[in-house]
Amino acid sequence: MTELSSDARRVEIEYCTQCRWLPRAAWLAQELLTTFETELTELALKPGKGGIFVVRVDDEVVWDRREQGFPEPTAVKQAVRDRVAPGKSLGHSDKVPQEDVSP
């Protein structure tokens, strides 16, 4: 059995099978794996029930659909980044929309 190093980073996406949210969870997993291909050591999809859609990093909840609604990928990427690679730039995902400053 291989032990994970102390800098191991595991993401878990728990999704509701009754709601058929596997495609949504798998798509988000692909987005995270593409963005954090060297920072993550594991990404797991965990079947659940009762409307659950929760993203965890190392057992810490970073997104819960019941409290925050369905996530935009940018918001989840930022939450994951803040825990696994705080200095990493997310490019256009880091840009804050400009407010309309028209006279």
Side-chain angles (χ1 to χ4, degrees):
M1 182 173 176
T2 304
E3 286 189 33
L4 295 175
S5 66
S6 61
D7 61 346
R9 295 293 184 218
R10 179 181 192 273
V11 172
E12 177 184 277
I13 301 171
E14 187 174 1
Y15 64 94
C16 179
T17 57
Q18 297 166 316
C19 305
R20 307 259 187 242
W21 288 339
L22 172 59
R24 186 184 297 253
W27 174 72
L28 184 57
Q30 177 265 317
E31 288 288 315
L32 294 173
L33 286 169
T34 300
T35 302
F36 302 103
E37 58 188 15
T38 60
E39 292 86 2
L40 297 180
T41 55
E42 181 180 357
L43 193 144
L45 296 176
K46 180 179 178 182
K49 294 182 179 179
I52 193 163
F53 197 92
V54 174
V55 179
R56 295 178 183 90
V57 176
D58 297 331
D59 295 322
E60 176 190 356
V61 173
V62 298
W63 198 276
D64 187 335
R65 180 199 64 83
R66 289 187 176 134
E67 295 175 12
Q68 299 158 285
F70 272 112
E72 290 296 323
T74 299
V76 175
K77 287 179 184 182
Q78 289 169 342
V80 170
R81 183 267 319 269
D82 292 348
R83 285 150 183 91
V84 303
K88 182 179 179 85
S89 171
L90 296 177
H92 68 277
S93 294
D94 274 335
K95 292 194 171 45
V96 178
Q98 297 270 335
E99 289 187 30
D100 185 9
V101 290
S102 305

